[in-house]
Amino acid sequence: MPTEILMPALSPTMEEGTLAKWHVKEGDKVSSGDIMAEIETDKATMEFEAVDEGVMGKILIAEGTEGVKVNDVIAILLEDGESADDIGDVSSGSSAAEAPSSPEPAPSAAPAAEKPAAAPAAPKKDGERIFATPLARRIAADKGLDLTQISGSGPHGRIVKADVENATATPKAAAPAAKADAPAPAASAGAAMAAGPSTDAVLKTYADRPFEEVKLDGMRKTIAARLTEAKQSVPHFYLRRDIQLDALMKFRAQLNKQLEPRGVKLSVNDFIIKACALALQQVPDANAVWAGDRTLKFEKSDVAVAVAIEGGLFTPVLKDAEMKSLSALSAEMKDLATRARDRKLAPHEYAGGSFAISNLGMFGIDNFDAIINPPHAAILAVGAGVKKPIVGADGELTVGTVMSTTLSVDHRVIDGALGANLLNAIKDNLENPMTMLA
């Protein structure tokens, strides 16, 4: 039986992608683990490996095609002994996932018998897509299994062959169909909140002015959607502190001189990462994320750092940052930043974290307010270190290097006093840098 190859979800947030390049052509033999294609997600270009063996029977989506939805059929794989005649009427685009949207009544047993292919589609469970390999979908269809009732043991919870082979058939619940209408008011409210001038209205406004239309790529679309949602749905509040950097700058210069033979050069940003990671340990209630109807509190400090790239940004995550030395954080951050700019990060390297840092100080920005990246509970916006008059410990007026910081906080997770404690802990760590080595 020919196997449908579906557009994979290569990251937790991926909904569509660009099929950048095929590495196989029709008639080629394919083995499990072979690189079949390169797919551009909203964040990176990634290789797509085969999970089944066979012969490439038909390519349905040409390379270079944009906006291919996750779980759309992109190709057909034939088993040994099968030919192109066995493919039948299969068209590119949406797979059988769209079949359940038919207006025909669900209780009727006849349509279900006529369309057994509906089982391998991209089913939903409480609004979430279920991911499964093409082979697992096919076996599920043959056995009459409901994939929404099966827990996946593959990467990121993907349902694989072994999962469906060990499962027994269970009746499909009809409740979700009846429930589908309930979220409609909330969805329409969200859409209304995000609405702005239409494309036609904007084009008409500037019809008499010369301009160039710039097409949005996947990354820019994702940034627009996620940050619009964040700004509208996350109750932000902001806390600001000036941090004196003179002690840190002196300590950093001493360390860099000692580390020079090892080729290590610490940046101010490395100290900021370490200070935030330790502060999350010192104020553990702030080391949390919003999870819909609950919060998740973490034992470790996983700190995301915004990295600007052409056309957008990444937020790679430094896991267990509180446990790592400054030199280790520096080396890891340099590696992540380099691969981010080359769009070579794997999804697990920019997913997760409870806290983020956005540093525009190197661009000369004095201060700014950053937008929280859900489900994070806070993000620290860091400005440039600037020479300013300050009152010294002895009461005398002197000149010092001062860095402005703003902590954007999700009020659902962190209240004002807790946020103040977190920012104060960050300030104390940076103004007393030697304590970060204790």
Side-chain angles (χ1 to χ4, degrees):
M1 178 179 176
T3 300
E4 294 180 346
I5 299 175
L6 308 181
M7 184 68 166
L10 298 177
S11 74
T13 60
M14 179 177 170
E15 296 182 355
E16 62 180 36
T18 297
L19 210 160
K21 182 180 180 181
W22 280 106
H23 285 269
V24 295
K25 58 183 183 296
E26 292 181 2
D28 284 356
K29 186 173 179 57
V30 176
S31 298
S32 178
D34 287 352
I35 303 301
M36 298 183 65
E38 292 181 12
I39 294 173
E40 292 181 9
T41 70
D42 55 342
K43 293 287 189 181
T45 299
M46 305 184 65
E47 295 176 335
F48 174 39
E49 295 184 1
V51 293
D52 297 308
E53 297 183 352
V55 175
M56 180 58 68
K58 188 174 185 180
I59 292 176
L60 301 173
I61 301 293
E63 62 181 43
T65 303
E66 300 179 354
V68 183
K69 301 291 185 184
V70 168
N71 286 324
D72 277 2
V73 182
I74 59 175
I76 302 294
L77 191 68
L78 301 175
E79 293 182 346
D80 290 340
E82 294 179 334
S83 67
D85 296 334
D86 297 314
I87 295 176
D89 297 329
V90 181
S91 60
S92 62
S94 298
S95 65
E98 296 180 2
S101 63
S102 169
E104 296 179 9
S108 174
E114 292 170 6
K115 294 189 178 183
K124 305 243 178 186
K125 183 177 182 180
D126 293 334
E128 297 182 2
R129 184 181 294 111
I130 304 300
F131 299 113
T133 66
L135 180 58
R137 293 178 185 279
R138 191 181 71 191
I139 295 173
D142 293 341
K143 296 177 68 174
L145 297 174
D146 181 3
L147 289 177
T148 63
Q149 305 301 314
I150 299 174
S151 298
S153 61
H156 306 294
R158 185 179 293 271
I159 299 171
V160 296
K161 176 183 175 183
D163 300 323
V164 292
E165 285 184 335
N166 296 330
T168 56
T170 55
K172 292 187 179 182
K179 217 169 92 176
D181 293 336
S188 61
M193 218 173 19
S198 67
T199 301
D200 290 341
V202 175
L203 290 173
K204 185 176 180 181
T205 299
Y206 298 100
D208 61 340
R209 307 301 302 159
F211 60 81
E212 174 191 1
E213 289 191 32
V214 179
K215 189 174 182 180
L216 301 182
D217 61 12
M219 175 173 285
R220 181 50 52 189
K221 289 177 182 177
T222 300
I223 291 172
R226 284 181 59 80
L227 295 188
T228 298
E229 177 189 4
K231 194 63 176 174
Q232 292 176 342
S233 64
V234 176
H236 288 62
F237 71 92
Y238 306 94
L239 302 170
R240 312 180 201 280
R241 288 300 305 261
D242 285 342
I243 298 174
Q244 294 183 30
L245 294 182
D246 297 281
L248 186 149
M249 300 300 285
K250 183 178 179 180
F251 185 54
R252 171 176 171 261
Q254 293 172 346
L255 283 180
N256 280 338
K257 187 174 182 179
Q258 295 172 350
L259 293 170
E260 189 174 358
R262 292 166 47 186
V264 176
K265 186 176 182 180
L266 303 176
S267 68
V268 173
N269 208 50
D270 299 329
F271 284 87
I272 295 171
I273 295 169
K274 182 72 172 180
C276 292
L278 291 174
L280 291 171
Q281 297 295 307
Q282 295 158 350
V283 190
D285 286 344
N287 190 15
V289 299
W290 178 253
D293 61 351
R294 68 201 69 187
T295 62
L296 307 181
K297 288 175 59 177
F298 298 99
E299 296 179 3
K300 302 295 186 179
S301 298
D302 297 344
V303 178
V305 181
V307 176
I309 68 170
E310 185 177 354
L313 58 84
F314 274 101
T315 51
V317 179
L318 295 101
K319 294 182 170 63
D320 304 322
E322 82 284 2
M323 303 291 294
K324 296 174 180 175
S325 66
L326 285 164
S327 58
L329 288 173
S330 180
E332 184 177 355
M333 190 65 239
K334 286 183 175 68
D335 172 62
L336 289 170
T338 298
R339 290 190 291 115
R341 294 185 184 101
D342 294 337
R343 300 201 178 199
K344 296 297 184 182
L345 290 178
H348 72 271
E349 293 178 305
Y350 55 82
S354 64
F355 183 92
I357 299 168
S358 181
N359 188 345
L360 295 180
M362 64 282 292
F363 298 102
I365 300 301
D366 288 334
N367 56 71
F368 67 103
D369 298 343
I371 300 174
I372 296 169
N373 184 24
H376 292 177
I379 182 171
L380 184 71
V382 180
V386 179
K387 294 286 186 182
K388 292 183 178 180
I390 59 174
V391 178
D394 56 0
E396 294 294 324
L397 190 65
T398 184
V399 175
T401 303
V402 179
M403 179 178 72
S404 175
T405 61
T406 301
L407 186 67
S408 303
V409 185
D410 183 346
H411 213 322
R412 298 173 300 182
V413 184
I414 299 174
D415 291 325
L418 183 61
N421 289 338
L422 178 62
L423 185 53
N424 286 337
I426 295 171
K427 172 182 167 68
D428 290 343
N429 289 336
L430 289 172
E431 292 187 344
N432 302 281
M434 289 189 67
T435 62
M436 292 193 283
L437 304 183

